[in-house]
Amino acid sequence: MTFQFNFNIEDHLENELTPHGGGALALDSSKESSVSEREKGKHRDKKCSTEQFDLPQDHLWEHKSKENAALSQDTDISVNTANSSSNLEPRENSQLCLRVAKEHAIPKDLKKVLENKVIETLPGLQHVNISVVKTNLLKENFPGENIISKSFSSHSDLITGVYEGGLKIWECTFDLLAYFTKAKEKFAGKKVLDLGCGSGLLGIIAFKGGAKEIHFQDYNSMVIDEVTLPNVVANATWEDEENDISEPDVKRCRKSKAAQELRKCQFFSGEWSEFCKLVLSSEKIFEKYDLILTSETIYNPDYYGPLHQTFLRLLDKNGRVLLASKAHYFGVGGGIHLFQKFVEEKNVFETRTLEIIDEGLKRFLIEMTFKYPS
């Protein structure tokens, strides 16, 4: 089996914060389509069998960008200029919005989770069309966070303390997915956190790769309910639904198996420090994460303190963080070099560059581990 993502990044867009929106995943195995969205600013706050991901080196995930008319309504959203930062140093004492964290229960009726959702197919993955989700929520005048209308009215995919970009799929996510394939990353038996998960693709790969427990976290509860959870449910059940002409008893057995698999997953929303408080205050003893996956979460220097503290408090002493980021995020001031400097000054973690993607937008994959595991 071969997984292939196609996108190109034009040279003149170098180092802009560029997401891949919902329709970017509207791929069928028989045809290729993807979406390029040119936006400045940034986002929020990632088994079947192991063989499925051991792909040939000459068929790694490639990326190609082309406009998709179905998502034209999403292409003009850019970062709010109010988020521009003239001082690029992290400000740990800034007054951040400490949105209270909560856990999201998995509904008993899994079909209900996928109601009014358009499911699209990637090789080995299922994904809800985010553009359709946005349209439906706007029509329904969603009574919760209402981040959709606020995002449109402010022409921004980043409204600090309100919406942190979880309704986009940012391109570094695909870089990290490609790395899983090339490095033949093993998830079996590991406890994994998809931090700032958005669509949850990184955590879903860990789920399909046999991780023993997977937690998904995003800043916005709407993102978890309307995108992350449906994506995980779709990937737990889609093989059972496809061309299924089984007897009712067999179908029930399959659905029961899917529900059992989903017990390995937990879903959380809220700000990172609040998320830490929630999981660490659980009645049962908290087992730390073997692996934390996070993509494009270091765009804002104001968040470096809480993010570093999250790694410190929740990562197992022998655990790893796999982090994907652009070199720099114009408009908000963050980027890989500033973050690495921040980490170095803390003297808790050491960082190692795994890969540099130097085509168009310069992007980095790094690994973080404790300097002193004991």
Side-chain angles (χ1 to χ4, degrees):
M1 176 184 292
T2 298
F3 292 173
Q4 183 172 358
F5 286 103
N6 294 314
F7 80 99
N8 267 331
I9 303 165
E10 300 179 27
D11 292 339
H12 73 277
L13 294 178
E14 183 163 1
N15 289 339
E16 286 184 5
L17 179 60
T18 306
H20 279 61
L25 293 182
L27 301 181
D28 187 271
S29 57
S30 62
K31 38 183 175 177
E32 167 192 320
S33 70
S34 61
V35 175
S36 166
E37 298 187 73
R38 302 174 185 176
E39 308 172 349
K40 294 182 179 179
K42 180 53 185 131
H43 83 315
R44 81 272 168 204
D45 219 308
K46 226 131 80 258
K47 216 160 189 194
C48 288
S49 63
T50 302
E51 292 78 15
Q52 185 175 1
F53 305 107
D54 296 342
L55 306 184
Q57 289 295 314
D58 58 343
H59 287 85
L60 299 174
W61 311 57
E62 298 176 0
H63 303 264
K64 177 184 178 185
S65 127
K66 65 183 179 180
E67 300 297 334
N68 186 330
L71 288 185
S72 60
Q73 62 180 328
D74 296 335
T75 59
D76 297 324
I77 302 176
S78 61
V79 74
N80 193 321
T81 54
N83 292 310
S84 297
S85 173
S86 57
N87 178 6
L88 301 187
E89 290 301 313
R91 298 176 292 280
E92 292 186 75
N93 296 323
S94 297
Q95 293 298 314
L96 300 178
C97 180
L98 299 184
R99 177 167 299 199
V100 175
K102 68 177 183 179
E103 181 172 357
H104 295 242
I106 301 173
K108 291 182 179 180
D109 185 354
L110 298 182
K111 275 192 171 181
K112 191 163 180 132
V113 176
L114 300 176
E115 271 184 6
N116 302 318
K117 300 292 190 294
V118 174
I119 305 298
E120 297 174 338
T121 304
L122 281 173
L125 283 172
Q126 296 291 293
H127 186 274
V128 299
N129 184 307
I130 298 179
S131 181
V132 172
V133 170
K134 289 181 178 180
T135 301
N136 288 339
L137 291 175
L138 281 172
K139 287 178 181 177
E140 295 168 10
N141 193 22
F142 189 78
E145 294 171 286
N146 203 21
I147 59 176
I148 305 294
S149 60
K150 288 179 181 177
S151 176
F152 273 100
S153 62
S154 64
H155 305 288
S156 174
D157 271 311
L158 168 62
I159 309 172
T160 302
V162 177
Y163 168 53
E164 297 291 345
L167 292 173
K168 296 288 182 185
I169 300 173
W170 305 85
E171 64 190 347
C172 288
T173 296
F174 295 106
D175 295 333
L176 204 44
L177 290 171
Y179 175 78
F180 294 161
T181 295
K182 288 183 281 187
K184 298 183 178 179
E185 186 69 39
K186 305 299 182 186
F187 298 102
K190 294 181 180 177
K191 182 175 181 178
V192 179
L193 170 62
D194 186 345
L195 190 69
C197 62
S199 292
L201 299 186
L202 300 178
I204 288 169
I205 292 297
F207 172 72
K208 294 171 78 69
K212 69 176 180 180
E213 195 172 344
I214 311 96
H215 290 180
F216 297 83
Q217 179 278 335
D218 196 87
Y219 184 81
N220 294 103
S221 62
M222 177 191 284
V223 172
I224 294 293
D225 289 335
E226 299 296 328
V227 179
T228 317
L229 214 163
N231 281 346
V232 176
V233 169
N235 281 279
T237 62
W238 71 280
E239 289 178 344
D240 300 342
E241 302 295 330
E242 192 173 284
N243 301 320
D244 196 340
I245 55 174
S246 305
E247 295 298 321
D249 288 346
V250 176
K251 287 185 179 181
R252 278 194 293 272
C253 181
R254 287 179 174 176
K255 289 181 193 292
S256 174
K257 184 179 178 182
Q260 190 172 10
E261 283 291 295
L262 284 170
R263 290 176 189 167
K264 299 192 299 184
C265 301
Q266 287 181 260
F267 301 84
F268 303 88
S269 63
E271 186 270 337
W272 286 327
S273 63
E274 295 293 305
F275 165 65
C276 287
K277 288 180 188 176
L278 179 62
V279 296
L280 291 173
S281 64
S282 172
E283 292 182 0
K284 63 180 183 179
I285 296 176
F286 177 75
E287 182 183 349
K288 294 189 175 184
Y289 299 106
D290 301 301
L291 188 61
I292 297 178
L293 309 173
T294 190
S295 174
E296 306 216 48
T297 48
I298 61 170
Y299 55 92
N300 189 337
D302 287 345
Y303 300 161
Y304 289 0
L307 181 60
H308 187 276
Q309 192 70 4
T310 298
F311 295 156
L312 174 61
R313 299 176 72 186
L314 301 186
L315 186 67
D316 182 77
K317 65 180 182 179
N318 296 312
R320 300 155 61 220
V321 176
L322 297 182
L323 182 149
S325 171
K326 293 187 176 70
H328 184 75
Y329 294 97
F330 291 108
V332 277
I336 194 69
H337 302 301
L338 187 64
F339 180 70
Q340 285 181 308
K341 179 184 175 185
F342 180 90
V343 172
E344 183 180 340
E345 290 174 351
K346 290 292 185 184
N347 198 35
V348 174
F349 295 98
E350 57 184 4
T351 66
R352 180 169 69 98
T353 299
L354 300 173
E355 190 172 344
I356 300 174
I357 300 94
D358 200 8
E359 47 190 51
L361 300 169
K362 195 167 187 178
R363 307 181 302 280
F364 289 76
L365 303 180
I366 68 170
E367 177 188 71
M368 295 174 61
T369 53
F370 281 106
K371 275 189 174 183
Y372 315 105
S374 60

